[in-house]
Amino acid sequence: MAENLFNKPLIRVENLFKIFGENDTKKPTVNAIDNVSLEINRGDVMVIIGPSGSGKSTFLRSLNLLEQPSSGHIYVNDVDITDKNVDIDKHRQKMGMVFQHFNLFPHLTILRNLTIGPEKLQGRSIKDAEREGMELLERVGLADKARSYPNQLSGGQKQRIAIVRSLAMHPDIMLFDEPTSALDPEMVGEVLEIMKDLARSGMTMVCVTHEMGFAREVGTRILFMENGRVTADGAPDEFFNNPSNPRLRDFLSKVLQ
Amino acid sequence: MKKHSSMRRTFAVLLIIGLVSAMFMALPVFAGSDGTEKSAQTIFGLEDLEGKIVGVQTGTTGDIYISDDAELKLKGVERYNTGFEAVQALSQNKIDAVVIDDQPAQAFVAQMNGLTILDTEYVKEDYAMAVQKGNTELLGKLNEAIAALQENGTLQTIVDYYIDHSGEGYSSPKGAEHPNGKLVMATNAEFPPYEYYDDNNEIVGIDADLAMAIGDYLGYEVEISDMKFDSIITSVATGKAQFGMAGLTVTEEREQSIDFTNPYYTGKQVVIVRKSAGAQRETIIDRFKRNFVQAGRWKMLLSGLGVTLVITLFSTLFGVLIGFVVAIIRSTHDKTGGLRILNIIAQVYTTVIRGTPTVVQLLIIYYVVFASVNIPKIIVAVIAFSMNSGAYISEIIRSGIMSIDEGQFEAGRSLGFNYAQTMRYFILPQALKNVIPALGNEFITLLKETSISGYIAINDMTKVGDVIRSRTYDAFMPLVTVALVYLLLVFIFARLWGVLEGRLRRNG
């Protein structure tokens, strides 16, 4: 890979707005994302924290246009994906997404959940896709579940499958939308372990979470959002040990109790 | 173990069906013996009809006259689809008298015990053929033929044969040629001796034979189309049939829609009343034989069953296709806002179909949409039932699509599948699995709904039951048999569908 590619940010966000209720004159509009501009570099593990309703998930979901931004630009590898002429489906293949509620395909086996994307979208042979699918299942310790269906799995197992389902597409970046919030407490650990492994392997990650331990341990950069704005952005050390923003201090004191 | 218990359940259900039908079989025997004791003749003249209920066949001359007749001071008029139904209601004490044409009245009274015809006739009337308004060419030819056949005695030969049972009747002369094409004759073959089915399943009678003679005289082949009496005028008016002939009396009201030829016969409307007890006794087995074994009538039932199944299966097939497309259009619009025009069309379609009776849709498709197109009636029925079923199926499938969690959609899109692929690989397979029970239910509904096919003169199972009834003068046996066949079909289908459902459920 050429050196100059690494110097450029993987994702560049410019003056992003998401305004809810624009078309409804009866209700006041809400700026879910209020003029956010930032860059995400290769290898970044960006953790977004903030009170509920601060726009964290909306921001994350707008990175692959699951939320259509009201205005602003998102450049992925220098291509403006908010441009109507860009094939967003192509870009989404390279942007893995993990949801709070897993969203596995219940009518397909675990292995098929992993192979259907590579086979149908990337033209890989079933054999090839299955071989790699099995490797990924080994990696998360669930190879014995290949022929099972999602409803036969625990929440933690489902989320591990959801992560490798995205990885099977060989993404450049992984987006995590509160991946442990819907899990029973005893299952949070197994999912975080996989995410930590992934971070250590150098995957670029953006993660909305309430897991401060995870943020501190593997995050390379922490974002604090409130009312649709990014009001703090820094390395974990100064962020957690020496927060300058009073509301961030207030937030941390509540969640770190 | 499991298999054993399910077999036992099947057996139990069959047993219940058997018991219920046996109960039905026993019922009319009691009803008959009960009814006959009370019925002695109480009406001897028209003046005795005061305060009575009189039955007629809908749309017949009897209906038209009696409904406007204030002098009789009737308690009410009951309208039946066929004269036979009216006569049957009379013999079952449901009504007090029936006003009907003289000739069929003679036939009914001869076949059924305990009935008699009043000496005073109710009205006299002229029968004529109906042709489309303005078709003066055909009208002229028919008038010419009627005059010629009256002249040469052919008409009298036919009348003698059917009324006095004398002579040979009419048959086409050897080598009769029909170079001028085909004429479709609309009739209602439940009207002996004018038109009815004989034991060879062919429509015969004074009108039928006279029509044939006219065809031979004019060089036309005559095809007889059997339908409800009140559809005859419409058929002729819309050109579905070239002429109507069913003991049609010339009335001013009818002349608004069609033109009449010169009368070919003068008939009388008479009154049938109950005379005395006399319900005939026969065993269930004799009765069964009389209805189904005699004249091989079981073959008719079988062919009716075939027609019912063909209409149902093809309508289901096309209904699912239509429903699928409409559901995709509507849910795509709901999810993405696209396909606006198609969505409006789809919405109008489902609203109209769900908001109007199926029978009306069937009649509109036959008499309005395909008024001037000559296509087989079964295809018309398949089109009507497909369109009808499609609207319901589309709502079923749409509800299935809507029941799938939005997260499934987002998961598909976030992997890079486009809208159509996401639908195809993730949403529809789950949606269809969810709606399997509702689709089975729709199939059952459709199977039974096809029983209205008789409205456009299709001989489906229900219509065949009715035809048998009109020939054997037995309502119970053909109708209950038809009901049991439907029940059995639904039962078998429900079992098969249950197996399919179970299999799908096991597969995750």
Side-chain angles (χ1 to χ4, degrees):
Chain A
M1 221 171 278
E3 184 67 18
N4 63 351
L5 252 182
F6 279 95
N7 293 338
K8 285 201 170 167
L10 179 62
I11 291 180
R12 185 153 50 86
V13 178
E14 270 180 13
N15 305 108
L16 198 69
F17 282 87
K18 175 69 187 184
I19 303 166
F20 284 121
E22 274 179 303
N23 302 321
D24 190 346
T25 48
K26 286 180 209 130
K27 286 189 210 150
T29 56
V30 178
N31 288 10
I33 307 173
D34 194 352
N35 197 11
V36 171
S37 298
L38 53 79
E39 292 178 351
I40 302 167
N41 292 309
R42 282 173 198 283
D44 272 358
V45 177
M46 178 188 275
V47 180
I48 306 176
I49 62 173
S52 67
S54 59
K56 310 179 297 278
S57 280
T58 309
F59 175 70
L60 185 84
R61 288 160 54 84
S62 62
L63 289 180
N64 68 353
L65 299 197
L66 276 190
E67 290 294 347
Q68 193 67 39
S70 303
S71 68
H73 299 278
I74 299 166
Y75 296 90
V76 178
N77 284 328
D78 268 346
V79 177
D80 184 359
I81 61 169
T82 60
D83 183 344
K84 288 269 176 274
N85 298 321
V86 167
D87 181 4
I88 184 61
D89 297 321
K90 269 266 171 292
H91 284 90
R92 280 183 180 146
Q93 290 183 27
K94 292 289 166 191
M95 303 172 84
M97 183 144 196
V98 176
F99 300 88
Q100 184 179 351
H101 294 288
F102 333 124
N103 298 347
L104 295 182
F105 303 123
H107 61 302
L108 303 177
T109 64
I110 296 302
L111 186 59
R112 192 63 184 142
N113 265 274
L114 266 61
T115 57
I116 189 165
E119 187 210 326
K120 301 287 180 196
L121 299 175
Q122 297 177 333
R124 297 174 57 183
S125 71
I126 292 196
K127 220 173 148 193
D128 186 31
E130 286 193 343
R131 186 187 44 73
E132 188 179 350
M134 286 309 296
E135 278 171 22
L136 285 165
L137 288 178
E138 298 274 2
R139 186 165 150 193
V140 294
L142 292 170
D144 56 325
K145 302 288 185 194
R147 304 285 162 205
S148 304
Y149 284 89
N151 61 10
Q152 297 166 307
L153 269 56
S154 73
Q157 289 172 328
K158 282 185 200 169
Q159 196 59 297
R160 281 143 72 190
I161 299 297
I163 293 171
V164 287
R165 177 175 68 179
S166 290
L167 290 178
M169 298 292 289
H170 296 278
D172 293 333
I173 184 171
M174 288 284 287
L175 311 174
F176 292 87
D177 189 3
E178 304 202 25
T180 56
S181 299
L183 295 177
D184 290 336
E186 75 270 22
M187 294 176 181
V188 171
E190 59 190 79
V191 172
L192 288 181
E193 269 318 305
I194 307 282
M195 291 171 64
K196 285 176 194 168
D197 278 351
L198 200 56
R200 283 185 212 111
S201 74
M203 174 63 73
T204 312
M205 294 164 65
V206 181
C207 183
V208 173
T209 186
H210 297 292
E211 296 294 333
M212 293 305 148
F214 171 82
R216 194 174 254 183
E217 191 182 336
V218 297
T220 60
R221 192 174 157 196
I222 316 292
L223 248 57
F224 179 64
M225 282 187 77
E226 46 181 340
N227 300 324
R229 292 163 178 274
V230 177
T231 53
D233 181 354
D237 275 350
E238 59 174 88
F239 203 95
F240 285 106
N241 299 332
N242 202 6
S244 53
N245 180 328
R247 274 186 304 276
L248 173 58
R249 255 199 316 265
D250 184 46
F251 176 76
L252 287 176
S253 75
K254 278 179 191 153
V255 295
L256 291 176
Q257 258 171 16
Chain B
M1 191 67 191
K2 197 176 164 220
K3 191 160 188 182
H4 191 70
S5 78
S6 96
M7 266 171 64
R8 216 178 324 182
R9 207 169 56 225
T10 310
F11 181 72
V13 172
L14 284 174
L15 194 71
I16 290 168
I17 293 175
L19 281 176
V20 169
S21 41
M23 212 171 71
F24 268 119
M25 304 242 174
L27 247 159
V29 177
F30 300 139
S33 60
D34 198 37
T36 47
E37 280 159 25
K38 286 188 282 186
S39 49
Q41 189 167 359
T42 53
I43 302 169
F44 298 93
L46 290 178
E47 62 286 352
D48 294 333
L49 289 173
E50 184 177 337
K52 304 288 187 193
I53 298 173
V54 174
V56 292
Q57 180 180 2
T58 311
T60 55
T61 334
D63 182 10
I64 294 166
Y65 280 105
I66 205 124
S67 302
D68 294 336
D69 196 335
E71 271 175 44
L72 289 178
K73 301 199 187 83
L74 297 175
K75 188 175 169 199
V77 176
E78 290 285 337
R79 293 182 179 78
Y80 296 88
N81 277 329
T82 63
F84 167 64
E85 275 172 54
V87 173
Q88 196 159 53
L90 173 67
S91 80
Q92 289 169 353
N93 280 336
K94 287 179 188 151
I95 53 176
D96 302 303
V98 171
V99 170
I100 192 166
D101 287 81
D102 183 34
Q103 297 307 342
Q106 307 270 9
F108 287 134
V109 170
Q111 300 246 16
M112 297 170 87
N113 294 334
L115 300 178
T116 187
I117 298 172
L118 293 187
D119 292 336
T120 21
E121 68 208 31
Y122 179 54
V123 286
K124 268 194 156 171
E125 57 185 13
D126 290 330
Y127 294 155
M129 298 164 78
V131 299
Q132 195 173 28
K133 246 191 152 27
N135 193 349
T136 47
E137 191 197 338
L138 182 61
L139 189 68
K141 282 186 184 173
L142 292 176
N143 278 333
E144 179 201 328
I146 291 169
L149 294 172
Q150 265 165 346
E151 185 91 348
N152 69 17
T154 307
L155 179 58
Q156 196 54 47
T157 312
I158 294 171
V159 171
D160 287 347
Y161 178 71
Y162 283 102
I163 291 176
D164 303 332
H165 304 286
S166 63
E168 295 289 301
Y170 178 80
S171 51
S172 292
K174 279 217 164 74
E177 287 185 359
H178 305 120
N180 298 332
K182 194 172 77 178
L183 291 176
V184 176
M185 157 176 162
T187 194
N188 173 220
E190 297 182 88
F191 216 54
Y194 295 106
E195 44 268 316
Y196 60 98
Y197 285 92
D198 68 4
D199 283 342
N200 298 324
N201 238 334
E202 272 164 28
I203 299 175
V204 295
I206 295 173
D207 288 351
D209 285 10
L210 178 58
M212 190 116 64
I214 290 173
D216 291 338
Y217 179 82
L218 295 174
Y220 286 102
E221 182 193 342
V222 173
E223 181 190 306
I224 301 180
S225 176
D226 179 24
M227 60 188 71
K228 298 257 176 247
F229 186 78
D230 35 8
S231 300
I232 295 172
I233 302 279
T234 328
S235 275
V236 173
T238 56
K240 283 265 162 206
Q242 277 69 47
F243 67 94
M245 203 172 178
L248 287 171
T249 311
V250 181
T251 67
E252 273 179 34
E253 199 185 354
R254 286 174 180 161
E255 279 182 316
Q256 315 251 313
S257 327
I258 41 99
D259 286 337
F260 279 108
T261 60
N262 299 328
Y264 57 85
Y265 190 75
T266 300
K268 294 188 285 188
Q269 292 278 313
V270 298
V271 182
I272 308 180
V273 296
R274 276 187 302 277
K275 183 172 63 179
S276 62
Q280 54 195 37
R281 292 289 173 158
E282 62 179 339
T283 64
I284 290 288
I285 292 167
D286 286 342
R287 207 166 170 186
F288 183 84
K289 279 188 185 155
R290 183 162 61 86
N291 277 286
F292 303 118
V293 182
Q294 254 179 37
R297 276 191 274 267
W298 59 273
K299 284 185 222 144
M300 287 171 67
L301 203 62
L302 217 57
S303 90
L305 172 65
V307 169
T308 291
L309 288 178
V310 164
I311 294 178
T312 307
L313 292 178
F314 281 97
S315 301
T316 306
L317 186 71
F318 294 120
V320 167
L321 283 178
I322 294 171
F324 200 75
V325 171
V326 171
I328 298 275
I329 289 170
R330 294 208 52 194
S331 43
T332 299
H333 177 79
D334 289 351
K335 276 189 197 291
T336 67
L339 306 178
R340 224 169 59 87
I341 306 286
L342 282 176
N343 182 58
I344 291 173
I345 295 172
Q347 246 170 327
V348 169
Y349 162 71
T350 43
T351 308
V352 168
I353 295 289
R354 295 204 300 170
T356 52
T358 317
V359 184
V360 178
Q361 292 164 17
L362 181 69
L363 292 175
I364 288 178
I365 288 182
Y366 185 60
Y367 286 113
V368 181
V369 178
F370 291 113
S372 52
V373 190
N374 190 15
I375 62 171
K377 280 181 279 210
I378 288 206
I379 293 182
V380 173
V382 168
I383 291 171
F385 288 117
S386 302
M387 285 183 64
N388 179 269
S389 192
Y392 292 94
I393 291 176
S394 78
E395 286 300 292
I396 291 172
I397 296 180
R398 195 168 74 98
S399 76
I401 293 172
M402 290 304 167
S403 74
I404 303 301
D405 184 49
E406 186 62 22
Q408 289 293 306
F409 204 78
E410 291 186 345
R413 296 307 304 268
S414 78
L415 281 172
F417 287 91
N418 63 29
Y419 177 84
Q421 290 169 324
T422 304
M423 275 303 219
R424 176 174 158 205
Y425 294 124
F426 308 121
I427 308 300
L428 289 177
Q430 297 184 58
L432 291 180
K433 199 184 280 186
N434 286 352
V435 301
I436 288 287
L439 283 179
N441 203 36
E442 174 59 26
F443 178 87
I444 289 172
T445 307
L446 182 63
L447 172 70
K448 291 178 296 177
E449 194 110 77
T450 60
S451 61
I452 59 172
S453 301
Y455 273 85
I456 59 169
I458 289 177
N459 283 321
D460 75 315
M461 194 161 59
T462 302
K463 178 71 187 289
V464 165
D466 229 29
V467 169
I468 293 178
R469 187 172 65 113
S470 75
R471 276 187 239 171
T472 59
Y473 301 101
D474 182 3
F476 165 78
M477 191 59 86
L479 290 185
V480 170
T481 305
V482 165
L484 285 175
V485 175
Y486 278 110
L487 184 61
L488 193 68
L489 286 179
V490 169
F491 179 75
I492 292 170
F493 171 78
R495 295 290 302 182
L496 292 176
W497 201 251
V499 170
L500 176 74
E501 263 181 71
R503 227 174 248 167
L504 281 173
R505 208 172 301 129
R506 272 198 295 285
N507 290 348

